[in-house]
Amino acid sequence: MKEEGRRTIIRFSLRGKLIFFFFRRIQLMKTRAFNISKEAVWSAYKRVKANRGSAGVDEVSLKEFDKDLKNNLYKLWARMCSGSYMPPPVLLVEIPKKDGGVRPLGIPTVSDRIAQTVVKQALETDLDKLFHEDSYGYRPGKSAIDAIGKCRSRCWQYNWVVDLDIKGFFNNIPHDLLLKALERHTSVRWHLLYIKRWLSAPVQQKDGSLHTSEKGTPQGAVVSPLLANLFLHYCMDKWLTLNYPKCPFERYADDAVIHCRTETEAKSLMESLSQRLKDCGLELHPEKTKVVYCKDGKRKGDYEIKSFDFLGYGFQPRLCRSKTGMSFVSFTPAISKKSQKHILEKVRESKQLQQSQSDLVSIAEELNPKLRGWINYYGKYRKSKLDQILSLVDIRIARWARKKYKKLHGSIQMSLKWVGKVKKSMPNLFVHWRVKPCTTSG
């Protein structure tokens, strides 16, 4: 009897659990206004995890988020499915710019970055097919170096360039026009709902106050680059293709150059584009936007402005040498002066180089990731210019050695000789020591 009673209790217990889960399932289905898969949230989390990033207004880092990962992701998924997910405020962080100003970045929370990535992944493939082939920023399979290479070849084909700078682009994108463009390419309710909420999410200032705006999308937000490309596709790229089909361009986010055959054409285009951007709620920077003559050895005439910067490279006339050894003047890119200054500032900021108790291995571990990135990017064109800057890294190491070793307290020349000996004995210690210096001028 006892055994039979126990079986009855177990049977009713299992039946109760099944009934509970059944009604729980029905309740969840009723609350799921949107069909968002758990796999989409998990995929978005992995992308956010790979990109790292700092904490937002809630001060929850990725490490803290991972401590209760399963529960955090489930809550986010459930809220997005029900339509109840509300983005928290964005944390304002000001990043120093190469020109001395600051760039305002909006840092979302970890969970918000995941939510934005869910929407971005759902939209990205279809929208990317729409964009112009010469739009390079934040797109799969395209890079800033690709834009530099295309700009380089076109400067050899076209005499003039319009060097564009859109004033405060990310902060001034009109929400109504952006959403109008978005609605042309998606009718999925949760795409539009959450993007509207992200656009209207407040920004938390340094003093803790909240600021909302009817325009702009924060730099630092996951969806911002995709939305920016969509806006500029209609605002500029498509307009240029229709009105100036013989003037090709390269654009990386809001940084762009347009190639023209004559000075008259360049000035006319700049004026027309300025009006077009005003109609779209944007403005060309009056001082940074200019018409540039791509001077080389074959092009006659001389003009005041013969150089421009694009994506960290400086384009200007330079003395080059052909494969046969002949010298000639070509309009080519090399690391810009602003980028050179930026590299030296980053080296000066090295914590290991500022401490005499450090050792070379620790210094190398700190600097090598940065050195590798600079070499891979700025070493693509006219690497000899980059080598000149990297040689100053050795001088900085020599100054550190003078402070550390008494026998080197004399002249800087003694310290540089010491660096030279270390370089011979440990040629793989620093990344720039491993790379053979460029001897050509091309």
Side-chain angles (χ1 to χ4, degrees), residues 43 47 51 116-131 137-141 182 185-186 190-191 195 222-227 229-230:
S43 174
R47 287 183 67 170
N51 292 332
Q116 290 190 39
T117 305
V118 171
V119 176
K120 181 187 176 185
Q121 288 181 155
L123 288 169
E124 191 171 39
T125 301
D126 289 337
L127 288 183
D128 192 70
K129 296 175 184 176
L130 168 76
F131 297 149
Y138 313 110
R139 296 182 61 192
L182 185 64
H185 300 284
T186 182
W190 61 276
H191 294 172
I195 287 176
V222 175
V223 294
S224 288
L226 184 64
L227 297 178
N229 272 336
L230 177 63

Side-chain angles (χ1 to χ4, degrees), residues 49-204:
K49 179 81 170 178
N51 292 332
R52 301 180 184 180
S54 57
V57 292
D58 60 359
E59 299 183 350
V60 175
S61 65
L62 270 165
K63 187 176 180 180
E64 289 292 321
F65 189 88
D66 286 350
K67 289 180 179 179
D68 194 14
L69 179 62
K70 187 176 180 179
N71 190 41
N72 286 332
L73 291 180
Y74 179 82
K75 286 180 180 178
L76 178 61
W77 169 77
R79 288 169 183 166
M80 290 191 74
C81 286
S82 67
S84 63
Y85 176 73
M86 299 297 295
V90 175
L91 179 65
L92 178 66
V93 177
E94 293 181 338
I95 306 297
K97 294 171 65 175
K98 292 178 183 179
D99 61 4
V102 293
R103 187 186 306 279
L105 290 182
I107 309 299
T109 63
V110 172
S111 60
D112 198 42
R113 293 206 295 273
I114 297 170
Q116 290 190 39
T117 305
V118 171
V119 176
K120 181 187 176 185
Q121 288 181 155
L123 288 169
E124 191 171 39
T125 301
D126 289 337
L127 288 183
D128 192 70
K129 296 175 184 176
L130 168 76
F131 297 149
H132 194 282
E133 62 179 356
D134 285 320
S135 169
Y136 293 88
Y138 313 110
R139 296 182 61 192
K142 290 180 176 287
S143 68
I145 282 294
D146 294 334
I148 294 294
K150 182 62 72 172
C151 183
R152 174 176 178 253
S153 62
R154 283 175 174 162
C155 283
W156 295 341
Q157 300 169 38
Y158 295 81
N159 290 11
W160 295 87
V161 154
V162 178
D163 178 24
L164 296 181
D165 188 284
I166 301 175
K167 192 174 181 180
F169 169 67
F170 281 92
N171 294 331
N172 291 297
I173 299 176
H175 291 174
D176 56 341
L177 293 181
L178 175 58
L179 290 170
K180 184 179 179 181
L182 185 64
E183 287 167 358
R184 293 189 62 177
H185 300 284
T186 182
S187 58
V188 179
R189 286 174 56 213
W190 61 276
H191 294 172
L192 298 170
L193 172 68
Y194 290 126
I195 287 176
K196 287 177 182 178
R197 288 180 182 177
W198 282 315
L199 290 175
S200 59
V203 176
Q204 182 173 299

